Amino acid sequence: MRRILFLSLITATIFACSPKEQQPTETGLQAFADSIFKADIDSSFIAGASVLVAQHGKLLLDKSYGLASIELGVPIPADASFEIGSVTKQFTAAAILKLNQEGKLSLNDDITKYLDFDTKGRKVTINNLLYHTSGIPGYTELPEFGDLSIEQHERDTLLRVVEKHDFLFEPGEAMIYCNTGYFLLGLIIEKISEMSYEDYLNEAFFVPLGMDHSYYCSISEPVTGKVYGYSYSPKGLVQKPYLDHTWPYAAGSLCSTKEDLLTWLEALHGGGVLDESGYELMTTPGTLNDGTPLRYAMGLEHFKLSGNEMIAHAGGINGFLTETRYFPGANLYVVCLVNTTGPKGAGYFADQLTWKLLDKSQPEAMDKAVDLQHYTGKYSGPVRGREVTLDIEALENGFTLLPEGSEVPDTITTYLGNNAWAEGSAIYTFTDDKLKIDMVYGYYILHKL
């Protein structure tokens, strides 16, 4: 399926763990990794990468590839630090849950208890921010952010910009991935702890866990081992666009290394960060007001990737793409850091390595038990960053989906039952007057026109 509709979204494949009967040897996995990274570095899809795969306490792969600086021809060092983008969100979520664990806040608290933010009379809870169900528009998708992103202002400036825009939906009615929510969570952490966000993470997590190479990214301070970031273009790699790190903040401003991220993942999933109830809260996907289950938990996605239970999160920020994955059934960790934004990102390489170690399975299509002619028509509603209108046409064994302005439709044929259909990362569910689309990082509700 061509991802016409959601090219701007981070997606994953849907639908425990089943390790391959004959796994590649450690040497075989390294040879495979060498080949795929070399091919895309030689083809100028990426400048470089750091990758780590661990299983049952053993490192199966721990290597760096390519260049930390194209201009200077400097290779990526073994302990290179990268900007990790939205992987930051799991640290923010863990900090909130730690404060909740200590009785310093409640996840059901209205955010206006801690913040001067106009919710226009709506109750928005901390839970809503964690699950991306607040309805508050994401600042990274607002037209004003283009200019603001390269300037330095007080953080409250961003709140005043966001307040001018309408809510995308009522709190808890849908899910749209929202960097504003995690920005606000950072401010709540500072308000309650009476420390800066970076100082709190350092005291609560980095120092106790020995994460000596994890820190808040700086736009001015030179950091030993920090790699440069690039963007892919058909004419060759170019330097990443400038972004002031005032703004990614608790939604995406951390820097780290593959070694530190493995330390974090093992501690988080091994009981070294939160107590049992806090960990269960953090890793349990949320629900909408009507009880609809999500596949996104708190700063983490949690669902089955081609039949394998996975708790993970991706990150993308100017010049950098990151993937962190944990497969509980196989006790497998995959960490991939790439210093280039483009079509061959960290998710692509993480997929390649994952399926060298685990088997894939797909859901079996059920017999069609619903007359889709009833659902033929146009559907419209908000998705991340824009309004979208889809034209749905029934087929004998499925339906086609054509976004307004596109010429080639997508064809959906895998029926899951209960009026739900699947293709790749998306699950489409029809009701009498709605089309609900679960994309893991978003649960969109489009209304029939």
Side-chain angles (χ1 to χ4, degrees):
M1 170 184 169
R2 292 168 293 275
R3 300 285 183 245
I4 298 173
L5 172 58
F6 299 114
L7 285 175
S8 65
L9 302 179
I10 303 170
T11 60
T13 309
I14 62 170
F15 298 110
C17 283
S18 56
K20 286 184 178 293
E21 291 184 6
Q22 292 184 334
Q23 292 187 353
T25 63
E26 185 176 341
T27 301
L29 182 65
Q30 292 188 11
F32 174 72
D34 291 349
S35 67
I36 59 173
F37 282 104
K38 183 178 186 303
D40 286 313
I41 289 169
D42 289 348
S43 301
S44 294
F45 278 104
I46 64 171
S50 283
V51 60
L52 187 152
V53 178
Q55 189 172 34
H56 302 302
K58 180 181 179 181
L59 287 177
L60 304 183
L61 178 67
D62 183 6
K63 297 193 72 172
S64 295
Y65 300 92
L67 297 176
S69 168
I70 294 174
E71 293 85 346
L72 300 176
V74 175
I76 291 186
D79 59 350
S81 63
F82 292 67
E83 298 184 24
I84 63 173
S86 285
V87 171
T88 298
K89 289 182 172 67
Q90 60 194 271
F91 292 91
T92 300
I96 288 288
L97 285 164
K98 182 174 173 61
L99 292 169
N100 177 67
Q101 192 173 286
E102 295 168 350
K104 296 179 179 178
L105 59 77
S106 167
L107 301 181
N108 290 316
D109 283 343
D110 190 315
I111 64 172
T112 58
K113 179 178 179 180
Y114 307 103
L115 302 174
D116 176 19
F117 183 79
D118 183 8
T119 61
K120 301 176 175 62
R122 298 169 172 87
K123 180 180 179 180
V124 177
T125 67
I126 292 174
N127 263 328
N128 289 141
L129 301 184
L130 289 163
Y131 291 126
H132 302 286
T133 59
S134 69
I136 297 170
Y139 66 88
T140 45
E141 288 77 56
L142 298 180
E144 300 97 320
F145 186 63
D147 291 334
L148 186 64
S149 67
I150 59 174
E151 300 172 353
Q152 285 189 343
H153 299 281
E154 293 297 319
R155 288 206 168 101
D156 283 356
T157 305
L158 185 62
L159 275 58
R160 306 291 82 82
V161 169
V162 174
E163 285 173 334
K164 296 177 182 177
H165 293 265
D166 293 333
F167 273 52
L168 302 177
F169 52 84
E170 293 302 310
E173 294 296 312
M175 173 196 170
I176 294 182
Y177 191 84
C178 178
N179 285 310
T180 303
Y182 277 76
F183 189 98
L184 296 174
L185 289 170
L187 296 177
I188 291 172
I189 291 166
E190 293 191 343
K191 175 79 170 181
I192 293 174
S193 69
E194 299 182 337
M195 301 170 66
S196 69
Y197 172 76
E198 50 266 46
D199 285 347
Y200 182 80
L201 292 190
N202 197 53
E203 181 177 293
F205 303 136
F206 298 158
V207 171
L209 295 176
M211 297 173 62
D212 298 332
H213 300 288
S214 298
Y215 54 95
Y216 194 99
C217 303
S218 172
I219 57 171
S220 57
E221 182 181 349
V223 177
T224 302
K226 170 70 162 56
V227 305
Y228 289 18
Y230 299 91
S231 299
Y232 169 82
S233 80
K235 295 182 179 180
L237 299 184
V238 298
Q239 292 184 349
K240 70 178 178 69
Y242 177 78
L243 174 65
D244 191 290
H245 265 284
T246 304
W247 309 120
Y249 186 43
S253 268
L254 293 185
C255 285
S256 192
T257 65
K258 63 184 187 302
E259 294 84 4
D260 272 14
L261 288 174
L262 177 62
T263 295
W264 167 255
L265 293 174
E266 289 181 331
L268 176 64
H269 299 298
V273 173
L274 299 168
D275 64 18
E276 185 175 349
S277 62
Y279 176 75
E280 184 175 355
L281 279 170
M282 184 171 175
T283 56
T284 299
T287 57
L288 300 182
N289 291 345
D290 63 2
T292 298
L294 304 175
R295 292 183 286 169
Y296 192 96
M298 298 181 177
L300 294 166
E301 57 186 280
H302 188 176
F303 70 110
K304 286 191 174 182
L305 179 70
S306 296
N308 298 272
E309 181 187 2
M310 181 180 75
I311 305 173
H313 211 282
I317 194 168
N318 293 4
F320 297 90
L321 293 171
T322 304
E323 190 81 19
T324 57
R325 297 179 176 182
Y326 169 56
F327 296 90
N331 195 20
L332 175 69
Y333 296 89
V334 179
V335 176
C336 187
L337 305 164
V338 175
N339 64 333
T340 311
T341 50
K344 295 293 183 75
Y348 165 80
F349 294 109
D351 278 345
Q352 297 293 308
L353 296 168
T354 296
W355 306 128
K356 274 292 179 180
L357 297 168
L358 302 178
D359 283 321
K360 299 169 92 172
S361 65
Q362 298 297 337
E364 292 186 10
M366 300 175 60
D367 292 336
K368 182 169 71 68
V370 59
D371 181 9
L372 276 171
Q373 290 293 341
H374 179 70
Y375 301 118
T376 292
K378 292 184 181 295
Y379 295 78
S380 183
V383 298
R384 187 180 177 190
R386 65 190 188 282
E387 290 277 327
V388 68
T389 298
L390 304 180
D391 194 352
I392 302 294
E393 292 286 344
L395 301 173
E396 180 64 27
N397 64 337
F399 62 93
T400 61
L401 177 155
L402 182 66
E404 190 172 65
S406 299
E407 297 180 357
V408 181
D410 296 327
T411 300
I412 316 297
T413 59
T414 301
Y415 182 57
L416 303 177
N418 298 319
N419 291 348
W421 301 72
E423 179 65 27
S425 65
I427 299 176
Y428 302 88
T429 304
F430 290 93
T431 65
D432 287 339
D433 61 351
K434 298 183 184 71
L435 171 58
K436 301 177 180 180
I437 307 176
D438 180 356
M439 298 287 289
V440 182
Y441 282 86
Y443 194 101
Y444 311 121
I445 299 178
L446 279 58
H447 293 265
K448 193 172 185 180
L449 301 178

